[in-house]
Amino acid sequence: MLNIDLHCHSNISDGVLPPAELVARAAANGVQVLALTDHDDVSGLESAQAAAAAAGMTLVNGVEISVTWGGQTVHIVGLRIDPAFPVLAEGLHGIRLGRIERAQRMGDDLARAGIAGAYEGAYDYAVNKQMVGRTHFARWLVAQGHVPDTRTAFKRFLTSGHPGYVEHEWTTLENAVGWIRASGGMAVVAHPGRYAFNARQLHLFLDAFRALGGEGIEVITGSHHPSEYEKFAELARAFGLKASRGADFHAPGEGIDIGCLPPLPYYCQPVWQGWPELASHSSLS
Ligand code: AMP
Ligand code: MN
Ligand code: MN
Ligand code: MN
């Protein structure tokens, strides 16, 4: 079976490994085809491509775009994008400018709750200074001894109703899918099981996504409990969406490791079906 992993993060966003080390880890885990999908940034792709070429691995250019739809944050993965395409590059740049302003408001909110210096602390944790996110705040909160681990950081802080959480307007679903498609890529709904949609909202969202030209949905992801795989495989089939597989790896010891997921259910149509860059890999399942 082809070992393909189409969702992971380097330290260009909120992962901890530099792109080349991420690729080396994937190769060591037996991954043959990897997509690097940093949040709202594509600047890790060049060094990831070089490392993949050296390791004899296929690297798919990817990104994970932050979107606001129906008052909620959703993530749209773009696969086989052209990172140099101006409309995509400019759109992502706009999102990153919004992130800086949001991070300052998060810091202010934590300060009001008695935790000073969080913005500066999170900023120090971010390798890419345009990409300060909640994970950097979480890591700083752990290092400062406010919480024992990042999971607890997201439970007590940084999430709705807790200090450090601020409302933020990301880009629109239309923009995200449009930029991905205009650059030659395929849009995929990331970790659908993570959203607080009820069934009706989820169906409306998938209808809107498809109407805009979205083509795929993650079925096997580190964000889904194994008991959810079947549900999202059925949903993919019902909505005529292709199925994707990706660990959403961020850091060693956190969640499922890169390339270590079960295969897609047999009846799914994989997002990678027909990709020419996969022809060199012996078995396509
Ligand atoms: P941001 O885009 O800055 O809002 O950060 C979102 C990122 O935070 C996600 O991609 C995850 O990496 C991380 N995250 C969100 N919720 C949790 C959680 N409950 N536990 C651990 N990490 C989380
Ligand atoms: Mn993340
Ligand atoms: Mn995500
Ligand atoms: Mn992700």
Side-chain angles (χ1 to χ4, degrees), residues 9 14 39-40 64 66 75 99 102 132-135 150-151 154 159 170 194 248 250:
H9 297 273
D14 59 356
H39 297 285
D40 310 317
E64 181 176 17
S66 309
H75 288 171
R99 273 191 176 275
R102 167 190 183 242
V132 186
R134 285 188 293 159
T135 307
T150 52
R151 224 184 123 237
F154 278 95
T159 43
W170 300 103
R194 280 236 312 250
D248 203 356
H250 284 73

Side-chain angles (χ1 to χ4, degrees), residues 6 33 53 62 74 79 106 108 116 130 143-144 148 155 169 199 205 208-209 225-227 243 254 257 259 267 269-270:
L6 300 176
V33 180
V74 295
L79 298 175
M106 288 169 67
D108 293 345
Q130 291 190 335
Q144 292 294 301
K155 223 162 144 185
E169 194 76 18
F205 169 69
F209 175 71
H225 189 267
S227 64
E254 279 180 23
D257 205 345
Y267 54 87
Q269 191 187 355

Side-chain angles (χ1 to χ4, degrees), residues 239-283:
F239 279 80
L241 292 166
K242 294 178 183 174
S244 192
R245 172 184 192 261
D248 203 356
F249 174 80
H250 284 73
E254 279 180 23
I256 292 184
D257 205 345
I258 197 160
C260 296
L261 292 156
L264 290 176
Y266 70 92
Y267 54 87
C268 287
Q269 191 187 355
V271 291
W272 57 85
Q273 206 165 57
W275 286 359
E277 64 269 46
L278 268 59
S280 61
H281 297 285
S282 50
S283 131

Side-chain angles (χ1 to χ4, degrees), residues 122-245:
Y123 189 85
D124 278 346
Y125 269 87
V127 169
N128 173 0
K129 301 305 183 188
Q130 291 190 335
M131 249 312 304
V132 186
R134 285 188 293 159
T135 307
H136 302 109
F137 281 85
R139 295 205 175 109
W140 179 82
L141 286 165
V142 174
Q144 292 294 301
H146 293 291
V147 283
D149 49 44
T150 52
R151 224 184 123 237
T152 314
F154 278 95
K155 223 162 144 185
R156 296 201 201 140
F157 303 98
L158 310 172
T159 43
S160 186
H162 301 284
Y165 180 80
V166 299
E167 294 288 334
H168 188 67
E169 194 76 18
W170 300 103
T171 196
T172 62
L173 184 64
E174 185 175 5
N175 280 343
V177 175
W179 300 337
I180 289 166
R181 281 167 57 82
S183 85
M186 172 193 283
V188 178
V189 175
H191 43 63
R194 280 236 312 250
Y195 309 130
F197 290 139
N198 61 33
R200 188 184 133 74
Q201 289 167 326
L202 182 60
H203 291 187
L204 284 173
F205 169 69
L206 294 178
D207 279 338
F209 175 71
R210 271 193 41 134
L212 292 167
E215 294 172 75
I217 187 167
E218 289 183 348
V219 168
I220 305 290
T221 144
S223 292
H224 287 170
H225 189 267
S227 64
E228 294 178 294
Y229 294 161
E230 194 79 17
K231 172 184 167 183
F232 290 104
E234 289 291 347
L235 202 70
R237 184 156 69 172
F239 279 80
L241 292 166
K242 294 178 183 174
S244 192
R245 172 184 192 261

